[in-house]
Amino acid sequence: MKNNNYKKTNLNDITIELIRQVIDHSYSTGHNNFAPLGCSGDDFMLYGEPRRKEISLRLHSGDVKLLVTDNAGAFLFYGGFDTSLLPVSFIAEQYYQIIQNVKYLLDNTTTKSSVTELDKEEMFKRRVLLDPILSGVFI
């Protein structure tokens, strides 16, 4: 089930603290879907729409997973950390950094096969130059 209680309309409103709150909430609500290959809880939407510029967190088989998709619905990132070994504060910081590193691709509508490796390198370099935090330039 989609949960929009934490959803933001501005990417800059997604913070480490918000991610930590959602992780804590997902553990407190627990799993509500059970299947042979695992169990899951609600999808907590942080931004976007399902499969379109989506940033969401979901409890899946004991770990909270991060999903980030572009405007075409392609997965930019899906994964998680073992929460039995790592603190939630670390996981929230890592998810925040992942979001910051791929957010420039949220508006992407090109298919994967039409983007060359050179194009990807150039887009990534531009992202670093345009982002004052990543480029080390603080205003």
Side-chain angles (χ1 to χ4, degrees):
M1 172 186 274
K2 297 289 182 192
N3 182 317
N4 291 314
N5 292 343
Y6 295 95
K7 188 173 177 180
K8 303 297 180 191
T9 57
N10 186 328
L11 274 172
N12 295 327
D13 293 336
I14 298 175
T15 63
I16 294 170
E17 183 55 34
L18 174 69
I19 294 168
R20 185 183 174 102
Q21 289 173 6
V22 174
I23 292 171
D24 289 341
H25 189 160
S26 68
Y27 279 118
S28 69
T29 57
H31 297 103
N32 53 23
N33 294 310
F34 300 91
L37 296 178
C39 46
S40 64
D42 290 347
D43 291 322
F44 291 93
M45 299 292 292
L46 300 182
Y47 182 81
E49 298 301 323
R51 301 292 189 253
R52 297 289 182 258
K53 298 185 189 183
E54 177 179 346
I55 300 175
S56 64
L57 293 167
R58 177 175 73 156
L59 180 64
H60 183 265
S61 297
D63 295 320
V64 177
K65 308 287 187 184
L66 171 67
L67 172 63
V68 182
T69 67
D70 68 9
N71 199 35
F75 282 31
L76 297 173
F77 179 84
Y78 177 73
F81 294 95
D82 185 343
T83 53
S84 68
L85 299 173
L86 297 165
V88 171
S89 59
F90 170 81
I91 295 168
E93 290 171 11
Q94 296 307 305
Y95 285 172
Y96 179 79
Q97 286 305 314
I98 291 167
I99 293 166
Q100 295 306 306
N101 284 326
V102 299
K103 71 181 182 182
Y104 75 101
L105 289 171
L106 288 177
D107 288 322
N108 178 52
T109 56
T110 58
T111 60
K112 292 179 193 177
S113 61
S114 66
V115 181
T116 67
E117 192 62 29
L118 184 59
D119 291 336
K120 290 185 277 187
E121 289 291 336
E122 287 302 315
M123 287 189 306
F124 190 76
K125 287 176 189 172
R126 264 196 314 267
R127 171 203 57 90
V128 171
L129 292 174
L130 294 175
D131 190 317
I133 293 173
L134 295 173
S135 67
V137 177
F138 298 96
I139 299 173

